[in-house]
Amino acid sequence: MVLTIAAAIFVFGLLVLVHELGHFITAKLTGMRVDEFAIGFGPKLLSFTRGETVYSLRAIPLGGFNDIAGMDPANNEAGSRGYCEKPVLSRMIVILAGSIMNFILPLVIFFGIFFFVGVSTPNPEPVFGTVIAGKAADQAGLQDGDRIISLDGKAIANWTEFVDNVKDNEGTPIKVVAQRGDETIETTMTPVYDAQAKKAMVGVMSSVDTHHPGLVEAAGLAVQKTYMIVAMMLDALLQIVLKLSGSELAGPIGVAQMAGEVAQMGFVPLLNFAAFLSLNLGIVNLFPIPALDGGHFVTLCVEAVRGKPMSPKALEYTQKVGIVLLILLMVLATKNDIVRVFTGG
């Protein structure tokens, strides 16, 4: 539980910090007055003032905000430094900067992992690279580095054969013979069905072969991986829309649970998870839904075409619609989280 909470705070905190920094930096660069830069919501835990801006850390680490003067034209006390008084292009830059930073963060994370840790490819040998604590293999006494010799008396020559002999044996004890150095280990493990993977699993990852790329190659691989993940996410979102199904949506509870599970594998997998989630946040925030950055950008595009802002009543109406949509999505995601928790998915 402690690891899950710590991992969730780290992931949420990192993503929110980077996103809000995008808005903050571009607001400052375009001459806007920022009254407060906050990470989290609710009561203040820590705060200090530098110049005209209050920097605060708040109790609920599920978001953050920039209090930019003049966001409401009717209450602009900053004069020409108010958001509403700046050119449309400046406001567009500020609105998009948060999501842009969420795309930049994975590039930095992936580059760091590739350059400092290396590029890992699965080893085809039936050797455990990671045994996840508390899962079936760990409960059976198996450890990182163990080589599987046989399952239920059947010789295992490679990792694919190991997976094939586990995936369809949910709840069925399997006799395992493994090699650990000069010692032969005999034990029994029982695969457990994983709803997300849609197969029985025992909580292990294969060993890997590691290649250490140079500076340029690592940068290229980071761009390539980021592009592949974005393409995969867009395809998944398209399928959700086409099937009108939100069963795959996860809310804060689900994300926290996943963060805890990934954290058990180590800090590098947790960084990979944070990068993946950052791209997800960047894409979702660009949706043309009022109350999201994408919705604000659409209203700015309308203003650019019309040559004047939308009326306050129209803006209020669209914001209310956007908030209702977000609440409905959050309710659906939370429902999915609760179902997963109670069904073990």
Side-chain angles (χ1 to χ4, degrees):
M1 177 62 72
V2 174
L3 180 62
T4 296
I5 294 173
I9 291 175
F10 169 76
V11 171
F12 284 128
L14 178 62
L15 267 55
V16 170
L17 174 63
V18 168
H19 184 90
E20 296 303 331
L21 266 178
H23 294 311
F24 175 79
I25 292 171
T26 51
K28 288 285 191 178
L29 289 175
T30 53
M32 298 178 189
R33 194 185 82 193
V34 183
D35 294 330
E36 183 176 357
F37 174 82
I39 299 300
F41 294 114
K44 292 181 182 179
L45 299 178
L46 297 169
S47 69
F48 62 91
T49 303
R50 288 290 183 273
E52 63 188 9
T53 305
V54 175
Y55 300 85
S56 65
L57 178 65
R58 295 175 177 252
I60 306 173
L62 296 179
F65 63 88
N66 282 278
D67 184 5
I68 302 175
M71 291 293 289
D72 180 2
N75 296 301
N76 178 27
E77 300 176 352
S80 62
R81 296 192 61 206
Y83 172 87
C84 59
E85 294 296 322
K86 294 298 180 181
V88 172
L89 180 59
S90 296
R91 285 178 277 154
M92 285 180 171
I93 291 171
V94 172
I95 289 298
L96 294 178
S99 291
I100 291 173
M101 288 292 283
N102 283 127
F103 287 103
I104 293 175
L105 176 63
L107 290 170
V108 174
I109 290 177
F110 291 143
F111 171 78
I113 292 174
F114 292 147
F115 187 72
F116 293 105
V117 180
V119 181
S120 298
T121 55
N123 188 326
E125 298 295 317
V127 177
F128 292 162
T130 302
V131 177
I132 302 174
K135 300 296 184 179
D138 175 60
Q139 293 171 352
L142 296 168
Q143 301 176 6
D144 297 358
D146 287 352
R147 174 183 286 271
I148 301 300
I149 304 301
S150 67
L151 297 178
D152 280 340
K154 181 180 178 181
I156 301 298
N158 54 58
W159 187 258
T160 300
E161 289 185 359
F162 169 77
V163 173
D164 288 343
N165 280 271
V166 166
K167 67 179 183 180
D168 296 323
N169 285 293
E170 173 194 358
T172 303
I174 300 176
K175 294 181 179 179
V176 182
V177 177
Q179 193 75 31
R180 183 181 300 161
D182 296 329
E183 182 182 4
T184 299
I185 308 297
E186 294 186 11
T187 186
T188 300
M189 64 181 180
T190 304
V192 177
Y193 183 76
D194 185 285
Q196 188 172 5
K198 297 182 180 179
K199 62 182 178 181
M201 303 179 73
V202 293
V204 297
M205 298 174 64
S206 68
S207 60
V208 295
D209 295 322
T210 303
H211 161 65
H212 291 276
L215 197 70
V216 175
E217 184 183 358
L221 289 170
V223 172
Q224 181 182 359
K225 184 168 183 176
T226 300
Y227 172 80
M228 290 176 61
I229 293 175
V230 169
M232 178 189 68
M233 286 181 173
L234 290 175
D235 181 66
L237 288 170
L238 177 61
Q239 294 305 314
I240 290 175
V241 172
L242 291 177
K243 296 178 181 178
L244 295 177
S245 170
S247 60
E248 301 300 320
L249 292 175
I253 298 173
V255 172
Q257 184 181 31
M258 286 185 280
E261 293 173 354
V262 173
Q264 295 181 40
M265 304 177 194
F267 187 61
V268 172
L270 185 61
L271 283 176
N272 269 295
F273 178 70
F276 182 89
L277 206 61
S278 184
L279 290 172
N280 191 289
L281 177 62
I283 292 172
V284 170
N285 252 296
L286 291 177
F287 283 4
I289 297 175
L292 291 181
D293 290 346
H296 286 297
F297 181 72
V298 170
T299 61
L300 289 173
C301 289
V302 171
E303 179 180 340
V305 172
R306 295 176 73 233
K308 60 180 180 179
M310 294 173 61
S311 68
K313 184 172 291 188
L315 285 172
E316 180 184 0
Y317 175 77
T318 57
Q319 290 296 311
K320 287 181 178 178
V321 171
I323 291 171
V324 170
L325 288 174
L326 290 179
I327 290 174
L328 289 175
L329 285 173
M330 184 59 68
V331 169
L332 176 59
T334 303
K335 184 270 292 182
N336 291 343
D337 290 346
I338 294 172
V339 169
R340 292 188 188 103
V341 169
F342 284 99
T343 61

